[in-house]
Amino acid sequence: MNNCIEFPKGTSFLVTGGAGFIGSNIVEKILYLGHKVKVLDNFSTGKRENIAEFLKKSNFELIEGDIRDINTCRTACKDVDYVIHQAAWGSVPRSIEMPVLYDDINVKGHLNMMQAARENNVKKFVYASSSAVYGDDPILPKQEGSEGKVISPYALTKRINEEYADLYYRLYGLETVGLRYFNVFGKRQDPNGAYAAVIPKFVKELLGGIQPVIYGDGETSRDFIFIDNVVEANLKACIATSEASGKAFNIGYGQKTSLNDLYKKLSELLEKIDISPRYEKEREGDIKHSTASIEKAKEILKYNPQYSVNEGLELTIDWYKNNL
């Protein structure tokens, strides 16, 4: 990973959702850099094993609590320089089943965290948005400022998060930076459950000799981005100039990969080319194609993804082979 990200000695971070897939990887990097980290997590989707190795470190603190409780958020933001807000519920299909819960967690929780950060004079509030905000806009690559109509409650919660973050910057001066994640993958991503992401699911099933399911004809494409690139983006957002504040940026690799091509690559890497996928009908709320333009993030955040998709897949497979 690019090692030019530096913070003054004694810098402290709060990572919400720090026991989750992305959050725990961010925490690991901050601890590696020698800084203090607090994690706020209620373990509704995060896993204790993701942070087990950090618990014994003197510069790590766990706060078990819910972002829907404003007082918990205020306590967590005390004596913190940077908030990296990852706590949310993901999954487009699940949000279609549970729109009210998604609004409660993803919108109210986000607002609580920004308010707590503002009251505690946090230097920067960096938060997870999503490529889902592009909705039905057909233009590729996806470019900030060209958003269509959202097609899921999850996407709407992320769109609202961005609007609130922009408002909090303009109204109260809280320096907010949104990161529109495309399809993040890497170590600690959960392969289990009906809403698991495609890469860990494919890997687990192929390793187990199970025939994976591809929804649609397999020509659906995504911009897959390795977790270490996403960690870099979060830390660079923390030290970005005020030009970044109030804005949201695409965080992808800038490369299109179809599900068929992804499947072929994974089956080759796992030496499971004899297992063919099973095709089923497309899922409601899924976008057909998604590729990021990352020029704005490169220019303003100095984002520079170090790992290609193939490099990331190889590292990810190594991790799953040792941890599944």
Side-chain angles (χ1 to χ4, degrees):
M1 186 181 290
N2 193 332
N3 289 320
C4 66
I5 308 166
E6 291 183 3
F7 296 91
K9 197 175 176 190
T11 299
S12 62
F13 294 81
L14 168 66
V15 180
T16 70
F21 156 50
I22 297 174
S24 64
N25 278 280
I26 294 170
V27 169
E28 184 177 21
K29 181 64 177 180
I30 294 168
L31 290 171
Y32 171 79
L33 293 172
H35 302 298
K36 294 179 192 166
V37 192
K38 284 196 246 186
V39 160
L40 172 60
D41 207 303
N42 70 349
F43 298 99
S44 61
T45 58
K47 293 181 177 300
R48 291 180 191 277
E49 57 262 35
N50 286 346
I51 57 168
E53 64 185 286
F54 312 143
L55 291 170
K56 56 183 179 288
K57 294 184 182 289
S58 59
N59 53 343
F60 177 83
E61 180 187 348
L62 171 64
I63 300 169
E64 194 167 340
D66 197 312
I67 56 171
R68 289 174 288 179
D69 180 72
I70 185 71
N71 290 323
T72 299
C73 298
R74 287 176 175 134
T75 301
C77 284
K78 276 185 184 145
D79 304 317
V80 162
D81 295 302
Y82 300 99
V83 171
I84 301 182
H85 177 50
Q86 305 296 304
W89 269 33
S91 172
V92 163
R94 183 168 57 186
S95 77
I96 290 170
E97 293 171 21
M98 310 176 186
V100 176
L101 183 62
Y102 269 71
D103 185 83
D104 201 30
I105 296 168
N106 291 7
V107 177
K108 183 185 175 189
H110 175 84
L111 186 56
N112 282 345
M113 283 307 312
M114 281 198 305
Q115 181 61 23
R118 174 195 162 208
E119 290 171 7
N120 282 279
N121 299 309
V122 164
K123 289 177 185 173
K124 196 91 79 184
F125 184 89
V126 177
Y127 65 96
S129 185
S130 169
S131 60
V133 299
Y134 287 104
D136 65 358
D137 178 63
I139 298 167
L140 289 175
K142 303 296 183 189
Q143 202 144 12
E144 299 92 341
S146 178
E147 296 82 21
K149 284 190 179 296
V150 295
I151 53 178
S152 70
Y154 170 71
L156 182 58
T157 66
K158 292 300 183 180
R159 180 80 67 83
I160 294 168
N161 287 172
E162 291 186 3
E163 291 292 341
Y164 259 131
D166 175 44
L167 184 65
Y168 260 62
Y169 175 57
R170 290 185 288 113
L171 206 53
Y172 307 119
L174 177 67
E175 298 219 18
T176 60
V177 183
L179 302 179
R180 291 178 177 173
Y181 297 155
F182 279 67
N183 286 66
V184 189
F185 70 94
K187 69 178 182 183
R188 301 199 192 101
Q189 192 171 26
D190 189 358
N192 300 307
Y195 305 108
V198 65
I199 288 177
K201 205 165 188 175
F202 279 2
V203 170
K204 184 184 181 186
E205 287 168 348
L206 284 167
L207 283 172
I210 297 163
Q211 188 181 30
V213 171
I214 290 178
Y215 294 99
D217 59 6
E219 290 309 302
T220 294
S221 66
R222 292 290 180 263
D223 190 333
F224 293 103
I225 176 76
F226 183 54
I227 183 63
D228 286 31
N229 297 329
V230 171
V231 173
E232 178 213 324
N234 275 274
L235 296 181
K236 286 192 168 172
C238 289
I239 55 173
T241 65
S242 291
E243 188 186 357
S245 297
K247 297 183 177 76
F249 300 85
N250 289 342
I251 303 300
Y253 189 67
Q255 176 182 309
K256 181 172 83 167
T257 305
S258 75
L259 294 183
N260 285 332
D261 287 342
L262 172 70
Y263 186 87
K264 185 170 180 282
K265 182 71 184 173
L266 288 173
S267 60
E268 285 169 0
L269 287 170
L270 291 162
E271 299 176 346
K272 298 283 187 180
I273 53 171
D274 54 322
I275 303 176
S276 298
R278 195 171 82 249
Y279 293 89
E280 292 189 2
K281 68 171 186 162
E282 288 182 7
R283 295 184 304 185
E284 191 180 2
D286 274 355
I287 296 164
K288 183 73 176 171
H289 297 292
S290 183
T291 317
S293 164
I294 55 174
E295 298 313 307
K296 187 176 166 188
K298 281 182 171 179
E299 181 192 345
I300 298 176
L301 301 181
K302 312 302 178 201
Y303 169 63
N304 180 28
Q306 301 289 297
Y307 293 87
S308 70
V309 177
N310 283 348
E311 288 168 332
L313 288 174
E314 287 175 15
L315 290 165
T316 301
I317 282 171
D318 286 346
W319 186 85
Y320 280 117
K321 280 180 174 174
N322 293 317
N323 290 275
L324 275 182

